[in-house]
Amino acid sequence: QSVPTQPPSVSGAPGQRVTISCTGSSSNIGAGYDVQWYQQLPGTAPKLVIYGNSNRPSGVPDRFSGSKSGTSASLAITGLQAEDEADYYCQSYDSSLSDYVFGTGTKVTVL
Amino acid sequence: QLQLQESGPGLVKPSETLSLTCTVSGGSISRSTYYWGWIRQPPGKGLEWIGSVSYSGSTYYNPSLKSRVITSVDTSKNHFSLRLNSVTAADTAVYYCARLDGLGKWFDPWGQGTLVTVSS
């Protein structure tokens, strides 16, 4: 299965730093395809927070940062705030599946 | 500011065809740079890309759904559509439309989503 995997949940206290991993394969992230990250607040549509591995769209706080290395990518949230509590999904393209693939999703809880 | 809005029946019977439309406002669907896509999310589960269409009607689909999916575009109405046939309970999901940006790399913005339930 080439779908990128993410930890089901991560948590942190307000002000702390949390990271979410996205582990792919040689047919998606490892093949050089860009990784995007989406934030999904409860009951709402996903919102793009990182594109092209490490770029933030206008209006997204600089507390959010992305990186990519090899077959994996990461999203970091620094200075965690209550409003960051949401589900987060990574996304890339998979050449073996000929498919846009989303990660399994991670629920971020602010303690 | 570009906005997308899904519309269509919220309840579809098994074996019938699910039909949804995504109306685009605040911009023209005819810009050649973009594709327009459909993504779904079963209740409590993750996201799945369904398919995409360009303003000229070029399409590409998730291989696992390809045999049942048709996407189309109507530039005169500035909207694009999804048809999924032979639906089962497994097709129950929130369906989102979105623009494919970055030369077809990421989805932004998204519509608010519409829940479609497959049930008799």
Side-chain angles (χ1 to χ4, degrees):
Chain A
Q1 180 57 271
S2 296
V3 175
T5 57
Q6 302 176 227
S9 64
V10 298
S11 61
Q16 286 191 330
R17 179 179 187 269
V18 297
T19 61
I20 302 169
S21 61
C22 173
T23 303
S25 69
S26 58
S27 60
N28 45 62
I29 299 172
Y33 293 106
D34 283 350
V35 177
Q36 282 64 239
W37 291 89
Y38 302 87
Q39 176 195 61
Q40 187 174 32
L41 298 169
T44 70
K47 171 191 169 186
L48 183 71
V49 292
I50 294 289
Y51 67 94
N53 305 317
S54 60
N55 301 291
R56 281 187 312 276
S58 174
V60 173
D62 60 6
R63 302 184 291 104
F64 291 86
S65 63
S67 63
K68 172 188 164 184
S69 178
T71 58
S72 295
S74 292
L75 174 71
I77 310 173
T78 57
L80 194 63
Q81 298 184 5
E83 66 207 50
D84 300 331
E85 191 161 283
D87 293 326
Y88 292 83
Y89 294 90
C90 61
Q91 174 255 312
S92 187
Y93 183 82
D94 191 286
S95 57
S96 69
L97 297 173
S98 297
D99 190 353
Y100 289 94
V101 288
F102 289 91
T104 50
T106 299
K107 181 175 181 57
V108 170
T109 301
V110 182
L111 301 172
Chain B
Q1 181 182 355
L2 193 74
Q3 292 185 313
L4 290 77
Q5 176 71 57
E6 305 87 352
S7 60
L11 181 65
V12 181
K13 290 183 169 57
S15 79
E16 295 191 346
T17 297
L18 179 160
S19 295
L20 295 174
T21 295
C22 180
T23 300
V24 178
S25 59
S28 173
I29 202 169
S30 298
R31 283 192 65 178
S32 60
T33 311
Y34 302 115
Y35 270 70
W36 304 88
W38 291 96
I39 304 101
R40 69 180 181 178
Q41 185 173 36
K45 297 188 178 180
L47 300 165
E48 179 182 38
W49 171 67
I50 301 170
S52 301
V53 61
S54 74
Y55 83 101
S56 63
S58 298
T59 57
Y60 56 114
Y61 303 128
N62 183 326
S64 68
L65 298 169
K66 186 175 184 178
S67 64
R68 298 194 293 131
V69 174
I70 296 175
T71 58
S72 61
V73 63
D74 187 333
T75 56
S76 67
K77 296 181 179 178
N78 219 39
H79 74 206
F80 60 104
S81 300
L82 169 71
R83 288 173 60 85
L84 179 66
N85 59 39
S86 304
V87 298
T88 69
D91 295 309
T92 293
V94 175
Y95 285 75
Y96 297 101
C97 59
R99 184 181 67 178
L100 259 174
D101 205 342
L103 298 179
K105 293 182 181 179
W106 58 81
F107 299 95
D108 180 62
W110 295 56
Q112 67 182 33
T114 187
L115 174 63
V116 179
T117 301
V118 179
S119 174
S120 55

